Amino acid sequence: MSSVRTEKEATTTLSEALKSAKTRDADGDAVVRALKSVTEDNAPEGETIDGFHLVIDALKLNGIDTIFGLPGIPITDLTRMAQAEGLRVISFRHEQHAGNAAAAAGFLTQKPGICLTVSAPGFLNGLTALANATTNCFPMILISGSSEREIVDLQQGDYEEMDQLAIAKPLCKAAFRVLHAQDIGVGIARAIRAALSGRPGGVYLDLPAKLFAQTMEAAAGKASLIKVVDAAPRQIPAADAVNRALELLKGAKRPLILLGKGAAYAQADADIRALVEKTGIPYLPMSMAKGLLPDTHAQSASAARSYVLQEADVVVLIGARLNWLLSHGKGKTWAQEKGAKRFIQIDIAPTEIDSNVAIEAPVIGDIGSCVAALLAGIDAKWARPPAEWTGAIAERKDKNLSKMAATLAARPSPMNFHSALSVIRDQVKARPDAIVVNEGANTLDFARSIVDMYEPRKRLDVGTWGIMGIGMGFSVAAAVVTGKPVIAIEGDSAFGFSGMEVETICRYNLPVCVIVFNNNGVYRGTDVNPSGTSDVAPTVFVKNARYDKLMEAFGGVGVNATTADELQKALAEAVASGRPTLINAVIDETAGTESGRITSLNPATAKKK
Ligand code: ADP
């Protein structure tokens, strides 16, 4: 394999080129052009391939067909060339949303989503999404262009100088830098493997500007690329671990299955459904596991959530962590004072076990293999849970569901969260293949419990961090990778974090309908500034804002909906037409509650309680 030139030669010629390039012009390519001319001078004879094309070919070789990103120094040409070479390049207005799109694409497809950014600030903007992807166990690769090592390491003040690799490392699963064209294949293979294998997560790949311009002999370049074989190897659980779990489950009087988004990611849908149905055990889906079995399934215990968490004696966690979203498996939520719960936990990460409470029967492996192994132990003689337990759940469910039905049927003016969400609930029932994206405080909490999901991986939301700002990035990814209609249910505050991406939605003419629940502020729009100055309270927005006009500005459809009927009509039209649409749903500004359902995490409010 031929190297382009020695490092010393390269450094000398490059620094000369950089000096002569002088400018770091706005379109970003003077430096790369200068570098390219130098490397071309040093190029091997015969047919050559440059770093740009090695990166593109390595991605294509591994089945990557889409890049989410934002062009600029030093990756502008990479985006152009990638498009020319047949990759789909979706350009965003801010890197965080490109990163969120990559993360959602990773979750939906089991292929690492790729986010491409410029150096320093662009990299930092993408980093939030990378950290969020890692926290949520979504596979993604953040690829950022960077400044030259020689200048960064001596802190000589390069354009957008930053030691990106060092900064990324603690925030993701793995981080790599490639300095030589002949290592691009290895770099991308390692990034893909790290993102997908074991517990999936975010990977950072640092590509300094001069790498793109390096050239090498074409055949050697091609030979240096790696097609990753079996990137997410199955991990078969040990037989004794499976037996231990089955024994514990057999003795349960009030068993419960808890499905998390790891179960949704694993795409073991048929076996998971079979496990639930063959055992007859009631189940609870975490929010992004909704739809693994239809929310209307007879065994769903969602409408009796508090009751089953408190009363269950054996809980089977499948791809769900006992983190804050499950009150760490402790306290009032679990009624631990009534005696210790016994847990079976299926997870690919052995270190997850015992992270909050003791896990009596860990089953370590990939969810597909673990669930299949458990299923093999469930035969015709399996005793279904006692009728006392399933009957008590059904009773509570019925009571709660009929109470909720009455609330949802009301048509108050202005709309409240329930009346608006009942319209969306009906639309999702009519189009169960539509993908729901959901963020906000009250908008999130109410939508999660009101809008039933019917198919796996159709709900994308704020995830493990409860983060705001995923809305438009997730929506773009969902539309791009599935081609299905997307319904983004957005609090007005949450929408603000990524609202400018409606231009992206219009530019690519994506079938996304954004519904902004506009109640004039964060939580609600009624706070008053007690100080007497003219500023509004920190949680209050411009009153009666018309978010629909934002979509119209870019050629999409904007609708101002003040009644449930108007909302229903606009949403049905949007889903049927597939045109980018934003519905400004006017909600009673007094309707929200402080911090939504997580009031207890708000120090001042918690203290008052
Ligand atoms: P939720 O927020 O829905 O409760 P979490 O993100 O807390 O879900 O948990 C997901 C869990 O699933 C993680 O602990 C992760 O290790 C695990 N996981 C992800 N993919 C797989 C897989 N293919 N097989 C087994 N476990 C997985």
Side-chain angles (χ1 to χ4, degrees):
M1 192 174 298
S2 60
S3 168
V4 175
R5 58 185 184 276
T6 66
E7 189 66 21
K8 191 153 173 269
E9 283 165 357
T11 311
T12 316
T13 40
L14 281 169
S15 58
E16 276 160 16
L18 286 170
K19 267 183 221 137
S20 71
K22 262 191 213 144
T23 52
R24 314 285 185 161
D25 63 344
D27 78 359
D29 295 322
V31 175
V32 173
R33 273 197 296 274
L35 292 166
K36 202 161 182 223
S37 71
V38 170
T39 48
E40 272 163 9
D41 291 346
N42 289 278
E45 300 205 342
E47 204 192 333
T48 60
I49 184 164
D50 60 20
F52 290 110
H53 288 91
L54 286 166
V55 171
I56 293 163
D57 288 354
L59 292 174
K60 283 171 67 176
L61 182 66
N62 284 288
I64 305 288
D65 52 19
T66 305
I67 291 176
F68 303 94
L70 206 161
I73 297 174
I75 50 98
T76 316
D77 278 342
L78 183 59
T79 60
R80 292 190 184 113
M81 293 176 193
Q83 188 174 53
E85 296 292 333
L87 284 169
R88 188 152 195 216
V89 180
I90 304 291
S91 267
F92 282 73
R93 305 301 295 259
H94 188 287
E95 292 87 350
Q96 190 176 119
H97 313 307
N100 285 327
F107 170 74
L108 290 170
T109 63
Q110 291 186 329
K111 277 196 281 187
I114 307 293
C115 174
L116 184 61
T117 81
V118 302
S119 37
F123 152 78
L124 287 173
N125 288 342
L127 198 55
T128 306
L130 186 71
N132 188 50
T134 308
T135 301
N136 282 282
C137 317
F138 299 158
M140 83 170 263
I141 303 174
L142 174 67
I143 303 179
S144 295
S146 60
S147 303
E148 304 317 333
R149 294 308 314 160
E150 296 82 357
I151 304 175
V152 175
D153 289 347
L154 274 172
Q155 300 179 23
Q156 292 178 304
D158 204 1
Y159 168 78
E160 295 188 352
E161 174 186 302
M162 179 173 275
D163 191 356
Q164 296 168 196
L165 187 76
I167 291 163
K169 247 180 203 163
L171 297 173
C172 58
K173 208 178 150 189
F176 305 102
R177 175 187 293 127
V178 181
L179 290 176
H180 303 292
Q182 62 267 34
D183 293 332
I184 287 174
V186 168
I188 287 183
R190 300 213 70 195
I192 291 172
R193 227 172 243 294
L196 289 176
S197 61
R199 172 182 276 177
V203 175
Y204 175 60
L205 189 61
D206 193 86
L207 303 183
K210 74 178 177 189
L211 177 78
F212 298 117
Q214 286 178 23
T215 54
M216 63 188 291
E217 199 240 316
K222 255 204 166 70
S224 72
L225 302 184
I226 296 175
K227 185 169 167 51
V228 176
V229 176
D230 199 12
R234 290 177 66 203
Q235 296 189 24
I236 316 290
D240 58 341
V242 173
N243 289 338
R244 193 188 296 125
L246 284 168
E247 283 310 308
L248 181 53
L249 202 52
K250 266 183 206 157
K253 298 212 162 42
R254 296 181 305 282
L256 175 69
I257 292 176
L258 226 153
L259 302 172
K261 58 178 155 352
Y265 172 78
Q267 299 195 14
D269 309 337
D271 274 359
I272 288 172
R273 187 173 183 143
L275 182 73
V276 170
E277 292 182 340
K278 282 195 175 155
T279 58
I281 297 175
Y283 74 94
L284 270 186
M286 297 299 287
S287 66
M288 281 179 61
K290 277 163 71 72
L292 259 176
L293 289 89
D295 280 334
T296 47
H297 195 284
Q299 285 171 252
S300 167
S302 290
R305 189 175 192 275
S306 314
Y307 176 75
V308 291
L309 288 180
Q310 289 187 352
E311 298 297 326
D313 60 352
V314 175
V315 179
V316 188
L317 298 161
I318 307 183
R321 286 169 284 186
L322 279 176
N323 55 18
W324 71 283
L325 288 163
L326 284 168
S327 308
H328 306 281
K330 300 175 194 164
K332 266 202 320 220
T333 307
W334 294 86
Q336 286 290 19
E337 72 281 0
K338 290 191 181 176
K341 304 264 172 214
R342 306 175 77 184
F343 287 99
I344 297 166
Q345 184 162 22
I346 300 181
D347 206 291
I348 204 153
T351 49
E352 183 57 38
I353 307 304
D354 302 333
S355 55
N356 286 273
V357 298
I359 302 295
E360 197 169 322
V363 184
I364 302 304
D366 69 277
I367 284 170
S369 303
C370 293
V371 171
L374 286 178
L375 258 181
I378 313 271
D379 53 21
K381 285 185 281 172
W382 182 268
R384 293 171 78 85
E388 214 176 281
W389 173 231
T390 51
I393 296 171
E395 198 180 301
R396 272 164 186 84
K397 247 178 88 170
D398 289 348
K399 208 164 91 196
N400 291 341
L401 287 174
S402 50
K403 213 157 74 188
M404 179 62 94
T407 313
L408 291 176
R411 288 289 173 264
S413 177
M415 288 185 282
N416 60 17
F417 288 97
H418 290 82
S419 60
L421 285 167
S422 76
V423 167
I424 301 173
R425 172 192 170 104
D426 292 346
Q427 180 60 58
V428 173
K429 189 174 180 185
R431 278 300 298 264
D433 60 329
I435 295 187
V436 168
V437 174
N438 188 198
E439 62 176 336
N442 294 280
T443 307
L444 173 84
D445 295 336
F446 289 123
R448 188 169 43 207
S449 55
I450 291 172
V451 179
D452 286 334
M453 304 307 300
Y454 300 86
E455 295 179 8
R457 294 170 296 284
K458 297 296 184 192
R459 187 185 154 86
L460 303 173
D461 68 25
V462 302
T464 303
W465 268 346
I467 198 172
M468 297 287 147
I470 49 87
M472 298 306 102
F474 278 16
S475 296
V476 169
V480 165
V481 302
T482 71
K484 299 287 185 190
V486 176
I487 301 171
I489 309 172
E490 299 276 312
D492 50 354
S493 165
F495 174 70
F497 288 77
S498 65
M500 192 62 199
E501 301 297 345
V502 296
E503 191 274 334
T504 309
I505 290 167
C506 288
R507 190 165 11 108
Y508 294 102
N509 195 25
L510 298 174
V512 176
C513 177
V514 184
I515 304 163
V516 177
F517 278 55
N518 185 354
N519 66 348
N520 293 340
V522 182
Y523 309 131
R524 55 182 171 255
T526 50
D527 269 13
V528 175
N529 170 0
S531 75
T533 64
S534 61
D535 289 346
V536 296
T539 55
V540 168
F541 293 151
V542 166
K543 301 259 183 198
N544 309 316
R546 291 288 302 276
Y547 291 99
D548 49 311
K549 301 279 182 199
L550 267 177
M551 192 60 107
E552 285 177 357
F554 303 108
V557 178
V559 179
N560 188 48
T562 58
T563 67
D565 284 347
E566 286 169 2
L567 174 58
Q568 190 275 330
K569 183 167 173 287
L571 176 58
E573 277 175 16
V575 171
S577 72
R579 289 192 61 193
T581 301
L582 194 151
I583 304 172
N584 183 56
V586 180
I587 304 290
D588 183 352
E589 68 172 0
T590 65
T593 53
E594 177 87 13
S595 304
R597 267 185 55 198
I598 51 174
T599 303
S600 60
L601 299 183
N602 188 341
T605 333
K607 216 168 107 200
K608 274 190 230 149
K609 278 182 115 189

